[in-house]
Amino acid sequence: MKNTPDFSSILNHIAQHITLSEQDKELFISVLSLKKVKRKQFLEQPGFVSTHRTYVVTGAFRAYFVDTDGHEHTLSLAVDDGMIGDPGSFLSQEPATLFVEALKESTIIQWSFDSEQMLVENIPQFSVTMMRRAQQIAVMIQRRMISQLSLTAEERYEEFVQKHPVLLQRIPLYIIASYLGISREFLSKIRKQKLSSKKLMK
């Protein structure tokens, strides 16, 4: 007998925003697919249209772009119970500008663009979840822009430590440096200084 995929995590995630009837849950589950992703596997790449939403059951991902000089700039990170992707490409159905890469072996749940349109038509509340997701992204981008313009590298790192302790434990140092807009070497220097200061205070 074939095992039934466990979609409880994504249902709990959705339940934070809206209440689905049993019928709505069945419809939602019918369009979901559970997948295993290998480390360094790409879910999205520039030039290809984003066709699916991606919810992270377990694992870690980053979304980044590469500038004309070949430097990588990390825009978003996601671990368990997070979402990752190129929202601009998905919503416009135009070619992506971001790479979305698995940082370790992961398990994800996905649904397609067409499935989402169907869900919005048949479950009016579903659009509320997606709208709130878009609002969260907009707020995150605004706050990051303000941090980049108004805070020093040390302050940005301290803010990251305070707000994202789980990411600090799960994401490689060089990617955190890319997310903060500083070099890995400089981030290592900041961390050493913080550690030294803590030792002196003891």
Side-chain angles (χ1 to χ4, degrees):
M1 183 177 177
K2 191 173 181 180
N3 292 330
T4 302
D6 182 6
F7 294 124
S8 59
S9 58
I10 184 64
L11 290 174
N12 291 335
H13 183 86
I14 295 294
Q16 296 174 27
H17 305 289
I18 59 174
T19 300
L20 296 177
S21 67
E22 289 304 314
Q23 184 177 355
D24 290 341
K25 288 179 183 178
E26 290 180 8
L27 180 60
F28 183 42
I29 289 173
S30 71
V31 303
L32 302 180
S33 59
L34 185 70
K35 299 179 180 179
K36 298 289 185 180
V37 181
K38 295 181 180 180
R39 179 174 175 270
K40 291 189 176 296
Q41 183 175 333
F42 289 103
L43 299 181
E44 314 274 4
Q45 294 188 65
F48 296 90
V49 174
S50 173
T51 57
H52 289 77
R53 294 274 194 189
T54 299
Y55 167 82
V56 183
V57 180
T58 59
F61 290 82
R62 68 162 173 160
Y64 69 96
F65 75 94
V66 180
D67 65 24
T68 54
D69 295 322
H71 299 131
E72 297 178 359
H73 302 271
T74 300
L75 296 187
S76 60
L77 303 166
V79 292
D80 307 2
D81 195 36
M83 295 189 73
I84 195 74
D86 185 324
S89 175
F90 182 85
L91 292 172
S92 67
Q93 285 298 281
E94 295 179 352
T97 56
L98 302 178
F99 290 93
V100 177
E101 178 189 21
L103 302 176
K104 58 172 61 179
E105 289 190 3
S106 305
T107 301
I108 61 174
I109 292 173
Q110 291 185 313
W111 63 90
S112 70
F113 177 83
D114 290 338
S115 293
E116 182 165 307
Q117 304 312 301
M118 182 274 291
L119 291 171
V120 169
E121 287 183 14
N122 290 276
I123 309 176
Q125 287 191 84
F126 190 80
S127 60
V128 174
T129 299
M130 296 300 102
M131 179 185 69
R132 289 178 178 171
R133 172 65 181 164
Q135 290 172 338
Q136 290 170 352
I137 292 173
V139 170
M140 178 193 70
I141 292 173
Q142 181 187 40
R143 288 175 177 171
R144 283 199 65 199
M145 288 181 63
I146 292 173
S147 293
Q148 293 284 354
L149 294 171
S150 63
L151 301 181
T152 66
E154 291 87 349
E155 290 170 336
R156 293 201 300 275
Y157 173 70
E158 189 60 37
E159 182 180 64
F160 185 88
V161 170
Q162 295 296 323
K163 291 184 176 180
H164 309 290
V166 175
L167 293 179
L168 192 65
Q169 297 173 1
R170 302 277 301 278
I171 304 296
L173 187 63
Y174 78 95
I175 293 176
I176 292 176
S178 172
Y179 183 82
L180 295 174
I182 57 180
S183 69
R184 179 177 181 174
E185 293 74 20
F186 192 49
L187 179 54
S188 295
K189 182 179 178 181
I190 293 173
R191 285 165 60 88
K192 287 179 181 178
Q193 290 174 343
K194 295 285 184 183
L195 186 59
S196 297
S197 296
K198 287 182 180 179
K199 287 181 179 179
L200 289 172
M201 291 174 66
K202 288 182 179 180

